[in-house]
Amino acid sequence: MTLAITIETATAAAAYYPPRVEPSAKPVRFPFNLALLLGNNAYQASPLRSAVNDVRDLGAALREMGFRTIVRENATRKDMIDAIRQFGQAIEGADVALFFFAGHALQYKERNYLIPVDAQMGSEDDVTFFSV
């Protein structure tokens, strides 16, 4: 009978007092995740309805997962280039880097281009000048 009481007491004590975990010799490193999110709706010739909402929703979801986000909505060419530069500088040491664009884009001469909201394209030659 005494043996049964001792085992029960030891089991109950273990449940209330978990084993002590010794600190690690290595410093704890938290992941660094970064996302650049660009969403353009406000095109003069053909506006979109959901690109900005897509960026907002994705940004909220990524922030819940611990991402730092750089977000631009209805970005001009200058705004897009500035955001890409900021992303390029901040990406150093990132564990995960994500780029997302919602808006108009096109492929011209086997290259892909993102279209800013202030693009004024009248000819094929304007693609490389006004887009990113």
Side-chain angles (χ1 to χ4, degrees):
M1 189 85 151
T2 304
L3 181 60
I5 293 170
T6 306
I7 292 172
E8 288 176 12
T9 304
T11 304
Y16 291 106
Y17 301 103
R20 184 168 187 259
V21 177
E22 294 297 322
S24 172
K26 298 177 187 175
V28 176
R29 185 177 171 284
F30 295 98
F32 169 43
N33 302 325
L34 180 67
L36 171 59
L37 312 173
L38 304 173
N40 289 344
N41 279 349
Y43 295 99
Q44 290 180 1
S46 56
L48 299 174
R49 286 187 275 208
S50 64
V52 169
N53 288 338
D54 292 347
V55 163
R56 289 176 184 168
D57 291 345
L58 180 58
L62 290 171
R63 283 187 293 279
E64 283 182 20
M65 294 189 303
F67 274 77
R68 291 185 356 196
T69 59
I70 300 168
V71 179
R72 298 293 181 275
E73 298 175 1
N74 295 315
T76 63
R77 184 174 189 274
K78 181 184 181 324
D79 294 338
M80 290 174 72
I81 290 171
D82 289 346
I84 292 167
R85 282 188 179 140
Q86 180 184 357
F87 183 64
Q89 291 168 352
I91 205 170
E92 183 71 32
D95 295 299
V96 176
L98 179 128
F99 174 81
F100 178 82
F101 176 74
H104 288 306
L106 57 88
Q107 187 176 54
Y108 175 67
K109 294 186 179 179
E110 298 183 24
R111 295 194 67 192
N112 297 315
Y113 295 91
L114 309 178
I115 310 300
V117 296
D118 63 343
Q120 299 290 321
M121 289 189 262
S123 70
E124 287 183 358
D125 294 332
D126 291 338
V127 171
T128 58
F129 184 74
F130 285 109
S131 59
V132 177

